[in-house]
Amino acid sequence: MSLVRRRLLSTAAAVAAARGPPPVRVALTDSAGRGVFATRPIATGEVLHSAQPLVTHPSRSLFHEVCYRCLKRKAGKGDDSRGDCYFCSDACREHAEGFHGIQKKVDWSLLDDHCSSRGLKYPYMVRRLACMVISGDVGADCLDILQPAQLHQGTLIEMEEEFELLKSTFRKAGFQEELTTFLTKQWYINILARIRVNAFRIELVASSYEDLLSSAVASVTCDASVGNAVYMLPSFYNHDCDPNTHIVWLENADAKLKTLRDIDEGEELRICYIDTSMDVNARQKILTEGFGFQCRCQRCLSGD
């Protein structure tokens, strides 16, 4: 691409970003269900759009070190840390007031012990979503549009056990039946199946030397992720082991989608779901077992 065309693309991108909606559309692909496509030529490094999460949850090991709502890391001793968890601001505390108020009325020790002993993280996200439904923050069907994971019989048995724990915990807390009518075994399985395949592992970009040092320490202790989050539009991006787009998180769980190279109008925008540095066999194993599909991108077909 010529230097003149690159400059024209950059100028057009800046104007479009200032005036119009994101330059993307969701449409059916030939082989991978729904996908996200460019509606115009897009220059390398352009921010396509941002996205706020539908539901989040911090990593258990960082429970008091990141914001309970937006997953922003605690900046220092002067931050607001009142109560049983940390909020980075009054705005986050107020935004979480509904589901957090429900959650504080319940003794979660049995569910916590169950998840902790098995290394589970997604049941916490279902718990938060259930509290959000009870508080009226969201509808029980808020994740129905997302693609669910393929579930094996052993996984279903584990989910049924987790559902019974969640249901009985709300019952013991004295919640009226009409508030939890949505909380059926089928609802729990459907929600967890969608969270399992659509949840992003949030790794924040270090914005200072202190953040960089914290991230390095976290990586050594396997806590580089500050938590997990589920989004609407980012969940429609399909996978490629040589992606043309990537998702980044700066201060918190608000995501930004950026292009990695120049994009043609009508081209599908794809991100990588896993670590691109792995060899083809490792990538295929993780994608098959974790996401339920065999990758047939050009990189995998070439054996790279």
Side-chain angles (χ1 to χ4, degrees):
M1 180 181 292
S2 68
L3 179 60
V4 172
R5 184 162 187 258
R6 286 181 184 275
R7 286 176 175 171
L8 287 173
L9 271 175
S10 298
T11 302
V15 172
R19 296 181 179 176
V24 301
R25 64 182 177 89
V26 177
L28 290 176
T29 67
D30 293 333
S31 59
R34 292 170 299 195
V36 180
F37 295 82
T39 58
R40 60 166 172 80
I42 304 171
T44 303
E46 181 176 340
V47 176
L48 299 169
H49 63 87
S50 58
Q52 292 188 333
L54 300 172
V55 59
T56 64
H57 201 280
S59 298
R60 275 190 60 83
S61 57
L62 299 175
F63 192 75
H64 295 285
E65 300 300 322
V66 301
C67 179
Y68 197 55
R69 174 184 171 259
C70 77
L71 307 185
K72 181 178 180 179
R73 283 188 179 273
K74 184 183 291 186
K77 296 181 179 179
D79 290 288
D80 182 5
S81 55
R82 304 187 306 269
D84 59 337
C85 55
Y86 165 68
F87 289 98
C88 69
S89 65
D90 288 336
C92 274
R93 182 180 294 278
E94 291 169 7
H95 193 280
E97 185 175 1
F99 73 78
H100 190 230
I102 297 294
Q103 192 169 317
K104 288 193 297 184
K105 297 177 181 179
V106 181
D107 178 5
W108 298 105
S109 55
L110 290 179
L111 183 65
D112 287 342
D113 289 345
H114 175 86
C115 292
S116 179
S117 64
R118 291 164 173 78
L120 303 175
K121 54 186 178 181
Y122 296 139
Y124 291 119
M125 299 186 75
V126 183
R127 175 184 70 181
R128 174 168 295 190
L129 194 63
C131 291
M132 292 170 70
V133 174
I134 293 173
S135 68
D137 290 343
V138 298
D141 60 351
C142 64
L143 299 189
D144 284 2
I145 195 173
L146 302 182
Q147 182 73 20
Q150 296 179 355
L151 303 175
H152 303 293
Q153 186 60 37
T155 304
L156 287 171
I157 293 174
E158 292 176 359
M159 287 183 173
E160 290 174 1
E161 183 179 359
E162 294 158 12
F163 161 73
E164 293 298 339
L165 273 174
L166 184 64
K167 184 74 172 181
S168 63
T169 299
F170 277 120
R171 189 184 304 117
K172 291 176 182 177
F175 281 89
Q176 297 178 352
E177 189 67 28
E178 56 265 29
L179 292 176
T180 59
T181 52
F182 71 93
L183 188 53
T184 64
K185 184 188 301 182
Q186 192 60 48
W187 180 86
Y188 184 91
I189 291 173
N190 285 341
I191 290 295
L192 193 51
R194 284 164 171 79
I195 288 176
R196 283 169 65 99
V197 77
N198 290 290
F200 286 84
R201 187 172 182 266
I202 310 302
E203 296 185 9
L204 304 180
V205 174
S207 58
S208 67
Y209 175 76
E210 289 76 14
D211 289 342
L212 184 62
L213 185 61
S214 296
S215 296
V217 173
S219 296
V220 172
T221 58
C222 300
D223 291 331
S225 167
V226 296
N228 295 89
V230 174
Y231 305 84
M232 186 61 71
L233 183 53
S235 293
F236 293 146
Y237 282 75
N238 286 316
H239 166 84
D240 197 297
C241 294
D242 185 20
N244 56 18
T245 306
H246 69 153
I247 184 169
V248 294
W249 297 272
L250 301 178
E251 290 188 336
N252 54 32
D254 290 348
K256 293 185 182 298
L257 279 293
K258 297 181 66 176
T259 55
L260 292 170
R261 59 174 174 78
D262 291 340
I263 306 294
D264 294 326
E265 181 177 351
E267 183 177 351
E268 185 178 1
L269 298 158
R270 289 182 171 237
I271 61 177
C272 188
Y273 296 171
I274 58 175
D275 183 355
T276 58
S277 67
M278 294 185 293
D279 64 37
V280 62
N281 293 327
R283 298 198 310 270
Q284 288 288 349
K285 179 178 175 62
I286 292 175
L287 290 169
T288 301
E289 296 179 359
F291 294 89
F293 68 88
Q294 183 177 14
C295 183
R296 299 187 61 81
C297 71
Q298 289 300 314
R299 186 180 173 198
C300 284
L301 290 176
S302 68
D304 180 11

